[in-house]
Amino acid sequence: MPNSDKKIFQKNIKTAPILIAGPCSAETKQQLTDTAEEISRIKRVKIFRAGVWKPRTRPGSFEGAGAKALPWLREIKDKYKFKIAVEVAKPEHVEECLKYPDTVDVVWLGARTTGNPFSVQAIADSLRGTNMAVLIKNPINPDLDLWLGATQRILNAGITDVGAIHRGFYPFSKTFLRNLPKWEIPINYMMQFPEIPMINDPSHIAGDIDYIHDVAQRALNTNFDGLMIETHISPKDALSDAKQQLTPTELDSLIDKLVFRQKTSTSPQFFDLLHKYRDQIDSIDFQIIELLNERMEIIKNIGKYKSEYNVSVFQLKRWRDVLASRIEFCDKFDLSKPFVEKVLSLVHEESIRQQSFIMNEYDDDLDYEE
Ligand code: PEP
Ligand code: MN
């Protein structure tokens, strides 16, 4: 009995973004009820989340109250009229949820689960034929295919009420954010599944309440369809993710402060000028491609020349000079140096690839993974 007529997660609906709030973990009945009661005063929040089962990195950490929290959530749902969302990490969790009819409306697959296709498939099979809405978090590693694959498995099980959650990616070296946003990955996801709403989880990206606003605003600027924000009645006493949970009052002021963007404008003037700007951008993009081509033709000539003199393709000193002089040139403009460095590095990588091909005439597909 798919509930396609009243989907929770829909793209481009005219209503405000989907807001999900609640504690990282379901700890006690009191903690859940007190948190829900306070959040219920925030009109925009329609879905209450709680980690009933918490997959933890190390054994011995608090793993959530478990199935006994489901009747507590049922009471909360009846009293405050929330939709209820919990994480499921294995089919048994889905089965537990189904034992309490009209309690859980939404299940989400956590980042650790999305990374494991066997687990995703087992959960997808257990959801087949139910009317659960399903949210799929990105995997811990920045692998778009795993995220898309997990989504496909859920869709293949006949689930139609589906959303994605962008919670960031594990950083190899410490940054001030707990997880790297890598915004291009959710954007690529949106391109593959344009109908699936994308929800941002600024709590797990930020890892600290100080950065939640900026991450959430960036998501709204990037046309995300909603936010999932960890909220606890007393974050300092939280049994998991204490540093990143807001109080309901802090959540309320965060939501007040955030600028919710329109998907597009209804003003014709907006499009008049926008089209002019976009024409300019189009022309510049084509010029960039022409210049890249011109540059690459010279690169190829240099490749032949180096080949004649049997000189290696990569020249460290030259590359250092190229980078340094271009980066210094950036001082004249309001342009990010790391951005220019990234672009130049890509161009340089392609130049090496082209010259190596000319010198050795080996298969130039070697440098590509696909
Ligand atoms: C959570 O939402 O509490 C959670 C465990 O998130 P993630 O799977 O993104 O780490
Ligand atoms: Mn958490």
PDB file of all heavy atoms in Angstrom, residues 21 26 35 85 90 92 105-106 125 137 144 156 161-162 165 169 199 225 246 248 265 269 283 301 309 321 330 343:
ATOM      1  N   ALA A  21      13.733  17.505  13.157  1.00  0.00           N
ATOM      2  CA  ALA A  21      14.553  17.795  14.342  1.00  0.00           C
ATOM      3  C   ALA A  21      14.265  16.768  15.415  1.00  0.00           C
ATOM      4  O   ALA A  21      13.193  16.145  15.429  1.00  0.00           O
ATOM      5  CB  ALA A  21      14.264  19.204  14.859  1.00  0.00           C
ATOM      6  N   ALA A  26      17.631   8.234  21.044  1.00  0.00           N
ATOM      7  CA  ALA A  26      16.533   8.083  22.004  1.00  0.00           C
ATOM      8  C   ALA A  26      17.172   7.556  23.280  1.00  0.00           C
ATOM      9  O   ALA A  26      17.743   6.463  23.287  1.00  0.00           O
ATOM     10  CB  ALA A  26      15.515   7.100  21.464  1.00  0.00           C
ATOM     11  N   THR A  35      11.986  16.919  24.865  1.00  0.00           N
ATOM     12  CA  THR A  35      12.536  17.491  23.622  1.00  0.00           C
ATOM     13  C   THR A  35      11.399  17.723  22.620  1.00  0.00           C
ATOM     14  O   THR A  35      11.283  18.799  22.013  1.00  0.00           O
ATOM     15  CB  THR A  35      13.596  16.546  23.015  1.00  0.00           C
ATOM     16  OG1 THR A  35      14.559  16.212  24.021  1.00  0.00           O
ATOM     17  CG2 THR A  35      14.309  17.188  21.838  1.00  0.00           C
ATOM     18  N   ALA A  85      10.593   9.771  12.640  1.00  0.00           N
ATOM     19  CA  ALA A  85      11.696   9.219  11.830  1.00  0.00           C
ATOM     20  C   ALA A  85      12.720   8.540  12.739  1.00  0.00           C
ATOM     21  O   ALA A  85      13.144   9.127  13.738  1.00  0.00           O
ATOM     22  CB  ALA A  85      12.369  10.338  11.031  1.00  0.00           C
ATOM     23  N   LYS A  90      19.440  -2.599  10.173  1.00  0.00           N
ATOM     24  CA  LYS A  90      19.289  -3.992   9.716  1.00  0.00           C
ATOM     25  C   LYS A  90      17.797  -4.326   9.620  1.00  0.00           C
ATOM     26  O   LYS A  90      16.968  -3.615  10.207  1.00  0.00           O
ATOM     27  CB  LYS A  90      20.050  -4.960  10.617  1.00  0.00           C
ATOM     28  CG  LYS A  90      19.838  -4.783  12.088  1.00  0.00           C
ATOM     29  CD  LYS A  90      20.739  -5.728  12.871  1.00  0.00           C
ATOM     30  CE  LYS A  90      20.486  -5.613  14.357  1.00  0.00           C
ATOM     31  NZ  LYS A  90      21.213  -6.587  15.140  1.00  0.00           N
ATOM     32  N   GLU A  92      15.953  -6.416  11.043  1.00  0.00           N
ATOM     33  CA  GLU A  92      15.268  -6.593  12.336  1.00  0.00           C
ATOM     34  C   GLU A  92      14.746  -5.262  12.866  1.00  0.00           C
ATOM     35  O   GLU A  92      13.713  -5.220  13.531  1.00  0.00           O
ATOM     36  CB  GLU A  92      16.220  -7.215  13.384  1.00  0.00           C
ATOM     37  CG  GLU A  92      16.575  -8.662  13.134  1.00  0.00           C
ATOM     38  CD  GLU A  92      17.724  -8.854  12.136  1.00  0.00           C
ATOM     39  OE1 GLU A  92      18.006  -7.938  11.320  1.00  0.00           O
ATOM     40  OE2 GLU A  92      18.341  -9.936  12.174  1.00  0.00           O
ATOM     41  N   ASP A 105       6.916   6.712  10.630  1.00  0.00           N
ATOM     42  CA  ASP A 105       6.521   7.098   9.264  1.00  0.00           C
ATOM     43  C   ASP A 105       7.712   7.072   8.322  1.00  0.00           C
ATOM     44  O   ASP A 105       7.566   6.881   7.120  1.00  0.00           O
ATOM     45  CB  ASP A 105       5.974   8.535   9.262  1.00  0.00           C
ATOM     46  CG  ASP A 105       4.862   8.706  10.275  1.00  0.00           C
ATOM     47  OD1 ASP A 105       3.743   8.297   9.962  1.00  0.00           O
ATOM     48  OD2 ASP A 105       5.135   9.216  11.393  1.00  0.00           O
ATOM     49  N   VAL A 106       8.884   7.353   8.882  1.00  0.00           N
ATOM     50  CA  VAL A 106      10.088   7.515   8.063  1.00  0.00           C
ATOM     51  C   VAL A 106      11.216   6.706   8.690  1.00  0.00           C
ATOM     52  O   VAL A 106      11.434   6.800   9.896  1.00  0.00           O
ATOM     53  CB  VAL A 106      10.540   9.002   8.059  1.00  0.00           C
ATOM     54  CG1 VAL A 106      11.761   9.195   7.168  1.00  0.00           C
ATOM     55  CG2 VAL A 106       9.409   9.944   7.675  1.00  0.00           C
ATOM     56  N   ASP A 125      14.738  -5.153   1.158  1.00  0.00           N
ATOM     57  CA  ASP A 125      13.822  -6.292   1.074  1.00  0.00           C
ATOM     58  C   ASP A 125      12.817  -6.273   2.219  1.00  0.00           C
ATOM     59  O   ASP A 125      11.646  -6.604   2.037  1.00  0.00           O
ATOM     60  CB  ASP A 125      14.610  -7.614   1.081  1.00  0.00           C
ATOM     61  CG  ASP A 125      15.415  -7.792  -0.208  1.00  0.00           C
ATOM     62  OD1 ASP A 125      15.057  -7.130  -1.225  1.00  0.00           O
ATOM     63  OD2 ASP A 125      16.397  -8.562  -0.201  1.00  0.00           O
ATOM     64  N   LYS A 137      21.092   8.351   3.803  1.00  0.00           N
ATOM     65  CA  LYS A 137      22.236   9.250   4.050  1.00  0.00           C
ATOM     66  C   LYS A 137      23.382   8.903   3.111  1.00  0.00           C
ATOM     67  O   LYS A 137      23.508   7.744   2.687  1.00  0.00           O
ATOM     68  CB  LYS A 137      22.694   9.108   5.500  1.00  0.00           C
ATOM     69  CG  LYS A 137      21.762   9.787   6.493  1.00  0.00           C
ATOM     70  CD  LYS A 137      22.461   9.987   7.826  1.00  0.00           C
ATOM     71  CE  LYS A 137      21.718  10.984   8.681  1.00  0.00           C
ATOM     72  NZ  LYS A 137      22.561  11.515   9.761  1.00  0.00           N
ATOM     73  N   LEU A 144      29.973   8.618  -4.649  1.00  0.00           N
ATOM     74  CA  LEU A 144      28.622   8.926  -5.140  1.00  0.00           C
ATOM     75  C   LEU A 144      27.887   7.662  -5.558  1.00  0.00           C
ATOM     76  O   LEU A 144      26.689   7.508  -5.303  1.00  0.00           O
ATOM     77  CB  LEU A 144      28.717   9.912  -6.322  1.00  0.00           C
ATOM     78  CG  LEU A 144      27.402  10.255  -7.015  1.00  0.00           C
ATOM     79  CD1 LEU A 144      26.444  10.986  -6.087  1.00  0.00           C
ATOM     80  CD2 LEU A 144      27.652  11.091  -8.270  1.00  0.00           C
ATOM     81  N   ASN A 156      14.012   0.110  -6.104  1.00  0.00           N
ATOM     82  CA  ASN A 156      13.695  -1.198  -6.696  1.00  0.00           C
ATOM     83  C   ASN A 156      12.774  -2.024  -5.792  1.00  0.00           C
ATOM     84  O   ASN A 156      12.087  -2.919  -6.260  1.00  0.00           O
ATOM     85  CB  ASN A 156      14.963  -2.011  -6.965  1.00  0.00           C
ATOM     86  CG  ASN A 156      15.775  -1.438  -8.121  1.00  0.00           C
ATOM     87  OD1 ASN A 156      15.300  -0.544  -8.825  1.00  0.00           O
ATOM     88  ND2 ASN A 156      16.989  -1.940  -8.309  1.00  0.00           N
ATOM     89  N   ASP A 161       8.297   6.888  -1.595  1.00  0.00           N
ATOM     90  CA  ASP A 161       8.456   8.114  -0.807  1.00  0.00           C
ATOM     91  C   ASP A 161       9.902   8.143  -0.295  1.00  0.00           C
ATOM     92  O   ASP A 161      10.215   7.567   0.751  1.00  0.00           O
ATOM     93  CB  ASP A 161       7.454   8.070   0.355  1.00  0.00           C
ATOM     94  CG  ASP A 161       7.146   9.433   0.908  1.00  0.00           C
ATOM     95  OD1 ASP A 161       7.849  10.393   0.551  1.00  0.00           O
ATOM     96  OD2 ASP A 161       6.208   9.545   1.709  1.00  0.00           O
ATOM     97  N   VAL A 162      10.772   8.751  -1.072  1.00  0.00           N
ATOM     98  CA  VAL A 162      12.210   8.624  -0.829  1.00  0.00           C
ATOM     99  C   VAL A 162      12.877   9.992  -0.801  1.00  0.00           C
ATOM    100  O   VAL A 162      12.513  10.884  -1.561  1.00  0.00           O
ATOM    101  CB  VAL A 162      12.850   7.754  -1.958  1.00  0.00           C
ATOM    102  CG1 VAL A 162      14.360   7.727  -1.855  1.00  0.00           C
ATOM    103  CG2 VAL A 162      12.304   6.330  -1.915  1.00  0.00           C
ATOM    104  N   ILE A 165      19.830  12.265   2.311  1.00  0.00           N
ATOM    105  CA  ILE A 165      20.392  13.173   3.323  1.00  0.00           C
ATOM    106  C   ILE A 165      21.893  13.311   3.095  1.00  0.00           C
ATOM    107  O   ILE A 165      22.635  12.318   3.062  1.00  0.00           O
ATOM    108  CB  ILE A 165      20.154  12.666   4.758  1.00  0.00           C
ATOM    109  CG1 ILE A 165      18.659  12.449   5.025  1.00  0.00           C
ATOM    110  CG2 ILE A 165      20.733  13.657   5.775  1.00  0.00           C
ATOM    111  CD1 ILE A 165      18.355  11.958   6.433  1.00  0.00           C
ATOM    112  N   PHE A 169      31.350  13.908   4.570  1.00  0.00           N
ATOM    113  CA  PHE A 169      32.238  12.779   4.314  1.00  0.00           C
ATOM    114  C   PHE A 169      33.431  12.839   5.260  1.00  0.00           C
ATOM    115  O   PHE A 169      33.947  13.919   5.552  1.00  0.00           O
ATOM    116  CB  PHE A 169      32.692  12.816   2.852  1.00  0.00           C
ATOM    117  CG  PHE A 169      31.510  12.832   1.911  1.00  0.00           C
ATOM    118  CD1 PHE A 169      30.931  14.031   1.505  1.00  0.00           C
ATOM    119  CD2 PHE A 169      30.929  11.637   1.499  1.00  0.00           C
ATOM    120  CE1 PHE A 169      29.813  14.047   0.677  1.00  0.00           C
ATOM    121  CE2 PHE A 169      29.809  11.638   0.670  1.00  0.00           C
ATOM    122  CZ  PHE A 169      29.249  12.848   0.259  1.00  0.00           C
ATOM    123  N   ILE A 199      18.085  16.558   1.489  1.00  0.00           N
ATOM    124  CA  ILE A 199      18.025  17.182   2.816  1.00  0.00           C
ATOM    125  C   ILE A 199      19.440  17.285   3.365  1.00  0.00           C
ATOM    126  O   ILE A 199      20.226  16.352   3.232  1.00  0.00           O
ATOM    127  CB  ILE A 199      17.123  16.329   3.738  1.00  0.00           C
ATOM    128  CG1 ILE A 199      15.678  16.427   3.228  1.00  0.00           C
ATOM    129  CG2 ILE A 199      17.223  16.767   5.202  1.00  0.00           C
ATOM    130  CD1 ILE A 199      14.772  15.381   3.756  1.00  0.00           C
ATOM    131  N   ASP A 225      16.305  20.769  -0.206  1.00  0.00           N
ATOM    132  CA  ASP A 225      14.862  20.741   0.044  1.00  0.00           C
ATOM    133  C   ASP A 225      14.511  20.662   1.518  1.00  0.00           C
ATOM    134  O   ASP A 225      13.327  20.649   1.864  1.00  0.00           O
ATOM    135  CB  ASP A 225      14.251  19.540  -0.689  1.00  0.00           C
ATOM    136  CG  ASP A 225      14.556  19.610  -2.176  1.00  0.00           C
ATOM    137  OD1 ASP A 225      13.892  20.379  -2.866  1.00  0.00           O
ATOM    138  OD2 ASP A 225      15.497  18.930  -2.627  1.00  0.00           O
ATOM    139  N   LEU A 246      21.617  21.071  19.355  1.00  0.00           N
ATOM    140  CA  LEU A 246      21.077  22.355  19.800  1.00  0.00           C
ATOM    141  C   LEU A 246      19.990  22.104  20.835  1.00  0.00           C
ATOM    142  O   LEU A 246      19.376  21.032  20.850  1.00  0.00           O
ATOM    143  CB  LEU A 246      20.436  23.092  18.617  1.00  0.00           C
ATOM    144  CG  LEU A 246      21.330  23.452  17.434  1.00  0.00           C
ATOM    145  CD1 LEU A 246      20.495  24.104  16.332  1.00  0.00           C
ATOM    146  CD2 LEU A 246      22.445  24.395  17.872  1.00  0.00           C
ATOM    147  N   PRO A 248      16.110  23.066  21.941  1.00  0.00           N
ATOM    148  CA  PRO A 248      14.975  23.505  21.108  1.00  0.00           C
ATOM    149  C   PRO A 248      14.935  25.026  20.956  1.00  0.00           C
ATOM    150  O   PRO A 248      14.593  25.532  19.888  1.00  0.00           O
ATOM    151  CB  PRO A 248      13.767  22.966  21.873  1.00  0.00           C
ATOM    152  CG  PRO A 248      14.295  21.736  22.564  1.00  0.00           C
ATOM    153  CD  PRO A 248      15.690  22.104  22.988  1.00  0.00           C
ATOM    154  N   SER A 265      12.126  32.751  -9.120  1.00  0.00           N
ATOM    155  CA  SER A 265      11.400  33.993  -8.879  1.00  0.00           C
ATOM    156  C   SER A 265      10.192  34.091  -9.800  1.00  0.00           C
ATOM    157  O   SER A 265      10.195  33.561 -10.911  1.00  0.00           O
ATOM    158  CB  SER A 265      12.327  35.169  -9.128  1.00  0.00           C
ATOM    159  OG  SER A 265      11.606  36.366  -9.050  1.00  0.00           O
ATOM    160  N   GLN A 269      11.179  40.797 -14.288  1.00  0.00           N
ATOM    161  CA  GLN A 269      12.432  41.576 -14.322  1.00  0.00           C
ATOM    162  C   GLN A 269      13.626  40.714 -13.935  1.00  0.00           C
ATOM    163  O   GLN A 269      14.713  40.853 -14.472  1.00  0.00           O
ATOM    164  CB  GLN A 269      12.412  42.786 -13.362  1.00  0.00           C
ATOM    165  CG  GLN A 269      11.476  43.875 -13.752  1.00  0.00           C
ATOM    166  CD  GLN A 269      10.168  43.719 -12.979  1.00  0.00           C
ATOM    167  OE1 GLN A 269       9.502  42.694 -13.061  1.00  0.00           O
ATOM    168  NE2 GLN A 269       9.808  44.737 -12.213  1.00  0.00           N
ATOM    169  N   SER A 283      29.145  33.055 -23.258  1.00  0.00           N
ATOM    170  CA  SER A 283      30.201  33.484 -24.159  1.00  0.00           C
ATOM    171  C   SER A 283      31.585  33.262 -23.525  1.00  0.00           C
ATOM    172  O   SER A 283      32.508  32.779 -24.187  1.00  0.00           O
ATOM    173  CB  SER A 283      29.941  34.950 -24.526  1.00  0.00           C
ATOM    174  OG  SER A 283      31.123  35.621 -24.770  1.00  0.00           O
ATOM    175  N   ASN A 301      52.736  20.421 -29.229  1.00  0.00           N
ATOM    176  CA  ASN A 301      53.985  20.745 -29.939  1.00  0.00           C
ATOM    177  C   ASN A 301      55.180  20.595 -29.008  1.00  0.00           C
ATOM    178  O   ASN A 301      56.219  20.044 -29.389  1.00  0.00           O
ATOM    179  CB  ASN A 301      53.946  22.179 -30.478  1.00  0.00           C
ATOM    180  CG  ASN A 301      53.026  22.268 -31.685  1.00  0.00           C
ATOM    181  OD1 ASN A 301      52.770  21.266 -32.337  1.00  0.00           O
ATOM    182  ND2 ASN A 301      52.516  23.450 -31.958  1.00  0.00           N
ATOM    183  N   TYR A 309      64.191  15.655 -28.270  1.00  0.00           N
ATOM    184  CA  TYR A 309      65.397  15.832 -27.446  1.00  0.00           C
ATOM    185  C   TYR A 309      65.458  14.832 -26.289  1.00  0.00           C
ATOM    186  O   TYR A 309      66.310  14.935 -25.417  1.00  0.00           O
ATOM    187  CB  TYR A 309      65.470  17.271 -26.922  1.00  0.00           C
ATOM    188  CG  TYR A 309      65.900  18.250 -27.995  1.00  0.00           C
ATOM    189  CD1 TYR A 309      64.980  18.758 -28.911  1.00  0.00           C
ATOM    190  CD2 TYR A 309      67.247  18.624 -28.104  1.00  0.00           C
ATOM    191  CE1 TYR A 309      65.371  19.625 -29.905  1.00  0.00           C
ATOM    192  CE2 TYR A 309      67.643  19.505 -29.105  1.00  0.00           C
ATOM    193  CZ  TYR A 309      66.701  20.000 -30.009  1.00  0.00           C
ATOM    194  OH  TYR A 309      67.111  20.868 -30.982  1.00  0.00           O
ATOM    195  N   ASP A 321      57.142  27.293 -11.170  1.00  0.00           N
ATOM    196  CA  ASP A 321      57.101  28.686 -11.653  1.00  0.00           C
ATOM    197  C   ASP A 321      55.725  29.045 -12.209  1.00  0.00           C
ATOM    198  O   ASP A 321      55.206  30.133 -11.965  1.00  0.00           O
ATOM    199  CB  ASP A 321      58.152  28.920 -12.749  1.00  0.00           C
ATOM    200  CG  ASP A 321      59.565  28.814 -12.187  1.00  0.00           C
ATOM    201  OD1 ASP A 321      59.708  28.828 -10.940  1.00  0.00           O
ATOM    202  OD2 ASP A 321      60.519  28.692 -12.997  1.00  0.00           O
ATOM    203  N   CYS A 330      46.825  36.407  -9.277  1.00  0.00           N
ATOM    204  CA  CYS A 330      45.485  36.465  -8.661  1.00  0.00           C
ATOM    205  C   CYS A 330      45.331  37.665  -7.742  1.00  0.00           C
ATOM    206  O   CYS A 330      44.208  38.083  -7.456  1.00  0.00           O
ATOM    207  CB  CYS A 330      45.194  35.203  -7.856  1.00  0.00           C
ATOM    208  SG  CYS A 330      44.934  33.772  -8.855  1.00  0.00           S
ATOM    209  N   VAL A 343      42.190  24.590 -10.639  1.00  0.00           N
ATOM    210  CA  VAL A 343      41.956  24.605 -12.088  1.00  0.00           C
ATOM    211  C   VAL A 343      43.268  24.357 -12.822  1.00  0.00           C
ATOM    212  O   VAL A 343      43.353  23.519 -13.732  1.00  0.00           O
ATOM    213  CB  VAL A 343      41.330  25.963 -12.523  1.00  0.00           C
ATOM    214  CG1 VAL A 343      41.256  26.055 -14.041  1.00  0.00           C
ATOM    215  CG2 VAL A 343      39.950  26.141 -11.902  1.00  0.00           C
TER     216      VAL A 343
END
